[in-house]
Amino acid sequence: PGSSLDGGAEPLPEFWGELAGLGWLGLHIDEAHGGEGYGLGELAVVLEELGRVCAPGPFLSTVLTSSLIQRHGTATQRDRWLPGLADGSVRGAVAFGAGVLTNDAGAASERPHASGTLRPVLGGGLAELLVVPVEIEDREHWYVVDRGEVDVTLLPSLDPTRRVAAVTADGAALSLDAALVGVTRRHVLDLAVTLLAAESVGGAAWCLDTAAGYAKVRQQFGRPIGQFQAVKHRCADLLLSLEQARAAAWDAAREAGEGAEDALAAAVAGALVPEAYAAAAKDCIQVLGGIGFTWEHDA
């Protein structure tokens, strides 16, 4: 991801067309809408492997958008938006961070008019289709809007391989047939956490493989550092943490939208997996002897 780290605006990855051609963006989408007809379990496999290589680009934000429309959209909405999201010609983003847009239309207006700013929006800089929350009569509703209806401003991101943006609406007239009926913030967050957990497991697995591989070959005091108890225990703890995180991530992907336990499974994944990934990254750098904290090193 060198160009992603060095560039200003986030570029669309060179492999985007090939990735879309393989059908990965539509694994969870019905075949009638250009997808492969599988589910989140199959999508989690791809997300884990993309996370393993820290792949840049709007894959996660796009499949999150299509997952919401696939699960909660009407037949007309699915016909309208899913084919483009599945073939990669349209990129999506979901404003699942804090805050909502407000409806500033008068009581006589037949259509809500959204105003306000949402930030940060993951993948917002490359998105052409956005799912945003709007507060109408003290209730939160989720609308699909085109990029042309809002202003998108790139924000500084801690992770330059994948940027965030601010999405601002100034009295944007919302189409009534663009509302995802019955969607709540819980639905949105559960899906986001499930997909992020799968990706995070892949990154944590890379950290373990890199740390353990280095510990086998790095010599100190005449033997591999992996023979020293402090390093050996760190790698063993990293493995246990990874397997716990992987189990939670797969459980969330399996349960998503399928039963009464889906919210619990997503909550467990959200509590365990990101923290395990961050700890794995720090442990990897420690085993590497403090190298790996600059962009010149893969870690």
Side-chain angles (χ1 to χ4, degrees):
S3 61
S4 298
L5 299 175
D6 298 332
E10 181 180 11
L12 190 66
E14 295 179 359
F15 56 78
W16 185 256
E18 182 179 1
L19 181 150
L22 291 169
W24 290 354
L25 285 161
L27 282 172
H28 56 301
I29 296 175
D30 292 339
E31 292 180 88
H33 300 111
E36 304 298 318
Y38 295 109
L40 286 193
E42 289 76 14
L43 185 60
V45 174
V46 172
L47 281 165
E48 184 171 335
E49 293 310 307
L50 291 175
R52 187 184 296 272
V53 297
C54 198
F59 184 89
L60 189 145
S61 60
T62 298
V63 296
L64 175 57
T65 304
S66 57
S67 294
L68 278 173
I69 296 172
Q70 168 75 24
R71 290 174 177 271
H72 301 287
T74 64
T76 300
Q77 290 171 336
R78 292 196 292 268
D79 289 341
R80 177 181 177 185
W81 290 311
L82 288 181
L85 292 167
D87 66 20
S89 60
V90 177
R91 280 95 58 187
V94 179
F96 60 84
V100 296
L101 300 178
T102 57
N103 174 33
D104 55 10
S109 177
E110 295 181 357
R111 300 172 62 183
H113 290 66
S115 294
T117 298
L118 300 167
R119 55 180 293 167
V121 179
L122 181 65
L126 289 172
E128 294 151 327
L129 205 63
L130 299 112
V131 180
V132 299
V134 183
E135 187 177 85
I136 302 174
E137 296 180 354
D138 298 325
R139 290 187 58 189
E140 191 173 83
H141 301 262
W142 292 80
Y143 281 81
V144 181
V145 300
D146 291 326
R147 184 189 182 98
E149 300 177 75
V150 295
D151 293 322
V152 178
T153 305
L154 293 179
L155 299 174
S157 176
L158 184 64
D159 177 8
T161 67
R162 188 167 54 193
R163 311 298 174 85
V164 295
V167 175
T168 301
D170 185 12
L174 302 175
S175 173
L176 296 179
D177 61 6
L180 297 176
V181 180
V183 174
T184 67
R185 186 168 290 268
R186 199 216 88 184
H187 293 131
V188 175
L189 291 179
D190 284 355
L191 265 177
V193 162
T194 299
L195 300 183
L196 285 163
E199 187 183 60
S200 296
V201 165
W206 184 92
C207 292
L208 170 63
D209 292 344
T210 299
Y214 185 79
K216 294 175 183 177
V217 299
R218 176 68 166 92
Q219 297 279 331
Q220 190 69 34
F221 302 108
R223 53 178 174 156
I225 62 172
Q227 292 183 5
F228 294 107
Q229 207 171 54
V231 176
K232 188 185 302 183
H233 286 183
R234 188 181 294 272
C235 289
D237 290 342
L238 206 167
L239 172 62
L240 292 175
S241 177
L242 168 63
E243 291 304 313
Q244 183 184 45
R246 178 175 279 130
W250 275 95
D251 195 38
R254 182 186 63 190
E255 292 287 343
E258 299 298 330
E261 301 299 323
D262 58 345
L264 174 61
V268 171
L272 291 178
V273 181
E275 184 176 352
Y277 186 12
K282 291 190 288 185
D283 285 343
C284 176
I285 289 175
Q286 289 297 312
V287 173
L288 291 171
I291 63 175
F293 59 89
T294 66
W295 294 129
E296 285 75 21
H297 194 282
D298 286 344

